[in-house]
Amino acid sequence: MILHPVPAFNDNYIWVLHDGQRALAVDPGEAHGLAQWLQQQRLQLDTILITHHHPDHTGGVAQLREATGAQVFGPLRERVPGPFTGVEGGDAIEALGLRLEVIDVPGHTAGHIAFFAADVDGAPLLFCGDTLFSAGCGRLFEGTPAQMLESLTRLAALPANTRVCCTHEYTLSNLRFALAVDPGNPVLAEHASRCQALRERNLPTLPSSIGLERQINPFLRSHEPALAAAAQAHDPSSPANALGVFTTLRAWKNVFA
Ligand code: ZN
Ligand code: FE
């Protein structure tokens, strides 16, 4: 199986997984660039997965389905251009001969889901939309900090070697914030210089891995004393528990420049 991010818009990736003939695409916000790439590679679009309802994740679905007859799976609790099969946490679907489990990850949107395949050529694979980013997490448009923390905790519990396919190339801007709130983290500093070098060559910093994110992502590390200290230095009224720290970090990131 080959995993490939097709760039879209300013900083989106439409993740494609394929076996050389049939392809699965995740969150196609637009159709044209993806269709062109699939044609160049001589791939037939078999399945579309949708993580949440935002237009930069769904804008190409209707046109692609019409052109290819691909099956579409999306969040049961969200309004996505139909027809599609609604799925929720605990469901499992089949695509390209793979079994993908659906995980509920509310927070960025109320019905956001992620797709997890336990074994793709020996390693797990996660499509997590706008929930988990490398060194960051999605904004809370529809959910509470408690929901988002629970969703991220669920993802952080996946195997360390899980490849993490996020929908946006936000890594460098996330890393600026991460370095500010977790300055004594050597793994983070090393990852930041690696990502800097990749972006200078216009290469993706993704996929990341769950094991790496556990070590560098401040939003997966709100239980760590270093992050609690940073949150309290920023806002002395911030509770020292993981949820209080997470809430303060998420609000701080929104205004961090
Ligand atoms: Zn979104
Ligand atoms: Fe998005």
Side-chain angles (χ1 to χ4, degrees):
M1 288 288 194
I2 291 170
L3 181 65
H4 181 85
V6 177
F9 309 119
N10 274 339
D11 50 32
N12 283 60
Y13 292 128
I14 302 170
W15 286 95
V16 175
L17 184 68
H18 71 85
D19 61 10
Q21 291 179 320
R22 292 180 308 153
L24 165 165
V26 186
D27 287 347
E30 67 91 39
H32 183 72
L34 177 65
Q36 209 168 33
W37 186 85
L38 290 168
Q39 197 177 18
Q40 281 163 8
Q41 307 291 317
R42 300 179 188 282
L43 293 168
Q44 172 68 33
L45 187 62
D46 178 89
T47 300
I48 297 171
L49 306 180
I50 303 167
T51 63
H52 67 292
H53 68 85
H54 286 159
D56 66 306
H57 299 248
T58 58
V61 173
Q63 200 181 325
L64 288 163
R65 184 186 43 225
E66 187 122 321
T68 64
Q71 58 174 347
V72 183
F73 296 99
L76 184 66
R77 292 184 198 83
E78 297 199 345
R79 201 184 278 274
V80 174
F84 74 100
T85 304
V87 291
E88 61 181 330
D91 288 343
I93 63 164
E94 221 181 279
L96 309 183
L98 295 169
R99 182 176 187 272
L100 293 121
E101 296 162 34
V102 181
I103 306 173
D104 282 326
V105 286
H108 177 68
T109 63
H112 200 304
I113 55 173
F115 296 89
F116 174 76
D119 183 2
V120 181
D121 299 334
L125 195 55
L126 174 70
F127 298 113
C128 54
D130 287 357
T131 297
L132 175 61
F133 293 122
S134 184
C137 74
R139 283 175 188 260
L140 302 181
F141 287 121
E142 298 172 12
T144 64
Q147 281 179 319
M148 188 57 140
L149 179 59
E150 197 188 322
S151 296
L152 292 171
T153 302
R154 204 169 288 155
L155 298 182
L158 294 172
N161 64 341
T162 303
R163 288 165 288 169
V164 177
C165 304
C166 329
T167 306
H168 291 275
E169 179 62 69
Y170 289 160
T171 311
L172 290 189
S173 113
N174 288 339
L175 283 166
R176 271 198 303 280
F177 178 74
L179 288 164
V181 300
D182 196 7
N185 183 338
V187 184
L188 175 60
E190 190 193 314
H191 184 59
S193 51
R194 194 165 46 232
C195 290
Q196 190 79 48
L198 286 169
R199 293 310 294 152
E200 273 162 20
R201 293 154 60 207
N202 206 24
L203 293 172
T205 61
L206 303 168
S208 184
S209 76
I210 289 292
L212 177 65
E213 293 305 318
R214 278 187 214 140
Q215 295 180 76
I216 61 140
N217 192 319
F219 297 100
L220 301 186
R221 294 168 54 75
S222 53
H223 55 279
E224 293 279 343
L227 278 301
Q232 286 199 311
H234 175 72
D235 175 1
S237 73
S238 170
N241 60 51
L243 178 57
V245 172
F246 178 82
T247 305
T248 298
L249 292 178
R250 186 54 269 185
W252 183 3
K253 171 74 163 61
N254 289 345
V255 295
F256 183 83

